[in-house]
Amino acid sequence: MSDASYQPSYPLASLRQVARRITDGSHFSPTPQESGHLIANVKDMKSGKIDFSTCTRISRDAYRKLKATGCTITDGNVLLSKDGTVGRVVVYKQTEEIGVLSSICIIEPNDSLDPSYLGQVLRNEESVRQYENFMSGSALRRLVLRDIRSIQIPLPSLAQQRAIAKILDTLDDAIQKTEQLIAKLKQIKQGLLHDLLTRGIDENGQLRDPIAHPEQFKDSVLGKIPKEWRVVPLRQLIESLDAGVSVNAFDYPAASGQIGVLKTSAVSGGKFYPRENKAVLPQEISRARVRPEADSIIVSRMNTPELVGEHGYVDGFFGDLYLPDRLWLMKFKDKDLISARWLSFFLSTPPAKRHIALHATGTSGSMKNLPKDKFLDMLIPLPELAEQNLVAETLKSHEDRMILEGCHLQRLQSIKKGLMNDLLTGRVRAIQGESNETGKGVDQELPLL
């Protein structure tokens, strides 16, 4: 193996030694049809499976040609993307036989190699390093079959392989379910943003219903809104909107006790990331002037077209940090009138984003500027403060759930990475009491998941 730290106690084998067949898919692209047989490309390799819903359909005659030339896959084949996006892996466990194009390598393991184990090995960091080594010096990312056949993998007993694959597959399932949950929570958040910031919550704690109770709503320049709400320009709520100054800084973040200047990446999606900063040069410290303040909002006034107007809610004090000239600090006149957290959520809605996109200026395609006057002209729906706080608390509770699931996902990914390395090197055994193939017993026990 190429990495000195990667020293498996299991014997190594090249893929050509443990596969009945290593080939690729069709080198010609059959004409797509409205119906017919499926043919997969790299784009259809998603989350360890072939997504049939995105596959192309081809005629029966075209499929027969693919089958005759060995360009179809069946249950138990292992697929490796080899052109363009290199390194996607699918252990094909679906019953339907389908065709694949030449960007996909088809590996049919022999009786000494478990397909699920091979799928895990091909995702391992050491296999990725081998892909990179084989592709070095080429502008086009591509693996050729000759090099794929040369890839070396650790080869424990078949029983160990199956046990290792079961452990890692179980973790993969947990990771995928958590990813799906996070994606669902993100979709729910968008729905909540729309509903809560256009319909609000009534005195009974229920979401107002414009269909069942149209009398609770009125027309406004922002469309239908609850009767109790007002529409005001942002400038009526703002005490100040000040940018920092451009100062020279190091290329590394400020350490404890150092003064830092925020980067524009410190605000994104309504969140504030104080660690996104650079340490200010000592001779520049006296020039820094605008600091983040608790219960305020930082807005990116100059950025790339897709990021101009990004913002983050600041919920604490950060005395050693300052704003650059590309960020505004937004402070409020009357905190009995407006909740900064409510406004932060509103700035994430499509109407607010459309206002920003409409008024951002700049002839360069790489940078846009948001004029202060135009930004302050933005119209804001304004419930009573108690309702603002209730809506903001509801949305924050949902965000906290997303953060919790994100931390859980990171933990699962960290466990998977560590276990993969331990199991594939033999440092940790998947089957208790079994010696590795070098005859040396493995002392470590498998940790509880």
Side-chain angles (χ1 to χ4, degrees):
M1 290 291 190
S2 60
D3 184 3
S5 67
Y6 185 90
Q7 298 176 347
S9 56
Y10 299 127
L12 299 177
S14 63
L15 285 183
R16 66 164 56 90
Q17 294 175 293
V18 290
R20 292 191 180 91
R21 181 172 68 115
I22 299 177
T23 187
D24 54 8
S26 172
H27 284 258
F28 77 94
S29 298
T31 303
Q33 306 286 322
E34 289 294 327
S35 61
H37 292 271
L38 296 175
I39 185 169
N41 204 342
V42 173
K43 67 176 177 58
D44 308 310
M45 301 172 70
K46 301 172 185 175
S47 301
K49 296 181 179 179
I50 296 294
D51 184 353
F52 288 164
S53 68
T54 62
C55 288
T56 302
R57 293 196 175 269
I58 59 175
S59 68
R60 180 180 299 178
D61 287 343
Y63 182 77
R64 285 174 178 168
K65 291 178 182 178
L66 294 185
K67 188 174 178 65
T69 54
C71 298
T72 58
I73 56 174
T74 57
D75 184 21
N77 288 166
V78 179
L79 313 179
L80 173 67
S81 63
K82 68 183 190 67
D83 293 341
T85 302
V86 174
R88 291 187 187 178
V89 177
V90 167
V91 181
Y92 192 70
K93 297 179 181 179
Q94 291 148 287
T95 55
E96 184 173 352
E97 184 179 72
I98 67 171
V100 295
L101 290 172
S102 63
S103 54
I104 296 176
C105 173
I106 308 167
I107 304 171
E108 183 183 342
N110 65 24
D111 293 339
S112 69
L113 183 61
D114 179 74
S116 294
Y117 171 79
L118 176 59
Q120 292 292 346
V121 173
L122 292 178
R123 297 185 189 100
N124 190 32
E125 289 181 352
E126 173 56 25
S127 294
V128 173
R129 279 192 286 269
Q130 292 185 73
Y131 307 155
E132 295 295 333
N133 288 340
F134 285 132
M135 291 187 296
S136 63
S138 173
L140 178 64
R141 292 179 60 82
R142 173 177 293 171
L143 283 174
V144 298
L145 292 177
R146 178 188 67 251
D147 291 333
I148 293 173
R149 294 185 180 108
S150 300
I151 291 172
Q152 298 230 313
I153 64 169
L155 195 68
S157 70
L158 196 56
Q160 282 281 5
Q161 291 178 39
R162 289 169 177 161
I164 290 169
K166 183 177 181 180
I167 293 167
L168 298 179
D169 284 351
T170 299
L171 273 169
D172 280 342
D173 287 343
I175 288 170
Q176 184 175 357
K177 288 177 181 177
T178 305
E179 289 173 337
Q180 291 171 344
L181 175 57
I182 292 172
K184 183 177 180 180
L185 289 172
K186 288 180 178 178
Q187 290 180 337
I188 292 172
K189 179 187 174 183
Q190 293 306 309
L192 282 174
L193 276 173
H194 176 270
D195 290 343
L196 290 172
L197 295 172
T198 59
R199 297 160 59 183
I201 299 174
D202 64 21
E203 63 276 7
N204 299 315
Q206 301 297 314
L207 191 68
R208 295 185 184 88
D209 188 342
I211 297 176
H213 297 285
E215 72 281 0
Q216 295 180 351
F217 292 81
K218 65 182 179 182
D219 292 322
S220 77
V221 292
L222 296 177
K224 292 282 187 182
I225 61 172
K227 288 194 304 183
E228 298 87 349
W229 292 17
R230 295 185 290 145
V231 176
V232 300
L234 180 58
R235 66 175 67 255
Q236 289 187 13
L237 308 171
I238 299 301
E239 176 184 293
S240 62
L241 187 66
D242 296 322
V245 296
S246 179
V247 295
N248 294 315
F250 295 102
D251 289 333
Y252 51 81
S256 177
Q258 285 185 305
I259 302 298
V261 61
L262 296 171
K263 300 190 288 186
T264 53
S265 54
V267 292
S268 177
K271 301 291 191 304
F272 176 50
Y273 301 95
R275 293 184 180 179
E276 288 291 307
N277 69 77
K278 292 184 178 182
V280 175
L281 291 171
Q283 63 270 27
E284 293 282 282
I285 290 174
S286 61
R287 299 182 58 238
R289 63 184 184 90
V290 179
R291 297 183 179 187
E293 295 187 13
D295 201 34
S296 63
I297 297 174
I298 296 177
V299 181
S300 176
R301 71 170 190 86
M302 183 181 293
N303 212 321
T304 58
E306 65 275 10
L307 295 178
V308 66
E310 280 286 346
H311 73 284
Y313 172 75
V314 183
D315 59 0
F317 290 95
F318 300 90
D320 292 335
L321 295 176
Y322 288 84
L323 272 66
D325 62 340
R326 293 187 176 187
L327 294 178
W328 280 321
L329 180 69
M330 183 190 301
K331 295 191 292 184
F332 301 92
K333 289 179 180 178
D334 185 353
K335 293 191 177 181
D336 291 330
L337 178 65
I338 180 69
S339 160
R341 197 182 289 276
W342 156 277
L343 180 58
S344 176
F345 282 120
F346 177 75
L347 292 177
S348 296
T349 62
K353 290 182 178 294
R354 283 195 296 269
H355 179 92
I356 290 169
L358 178 64
H359 295 290
T361 62
T363 56
S364 171
S366 61
M367 194 63 62
K368 292 285 186 180
N369 179 68
L370 183 57
K372 180 183 288 190
D373 286 345
K374 294 297 184 182
F375 180 62
L376 293 176
D377 285 341
M378 183 186 296
L379 296 177
I380 308 297
L382 197 66
E384 292 296 323
L385 184 63
E387 187 175 350
Q388 292 179 45
N389 288 332
L390 183 57
V391 168
E393 287 168 9
T394 303
L395 288 168
K396 185 176 185 304
S397 176
H398 186 80
E399 282 193 339
D400 289 344
R401 171 76 189 283
M402 291 171 59
I403 291 171
L404 184 65
E405 293 299 337
C407 292
H408 180 55
L409 176 61
Q410 290 179 348
R411 179 175 176 271
L412 288 173
Q413 291 169 333
S414 178
I415 292 172
K416 166 82 187 288
K417 182 177 180 181
L419 264 181
M420 178 176 277
N421 190 46
D422 286 342
L423 290 169
L424 296 182
T425 59
R427 284 196 294 266
V428 173
R429 56 188 171 186
I431 298 178
Q432 304 297 324
E434 180 177 314
S435 297
N436 61 39
E437 275 62 20
T438 63
K440 299 177 182 177
V442 181
D443 295 329
Q444 285 184 270
E445 299 295 324
L446 184 68
L448 294 175
L449 300 183

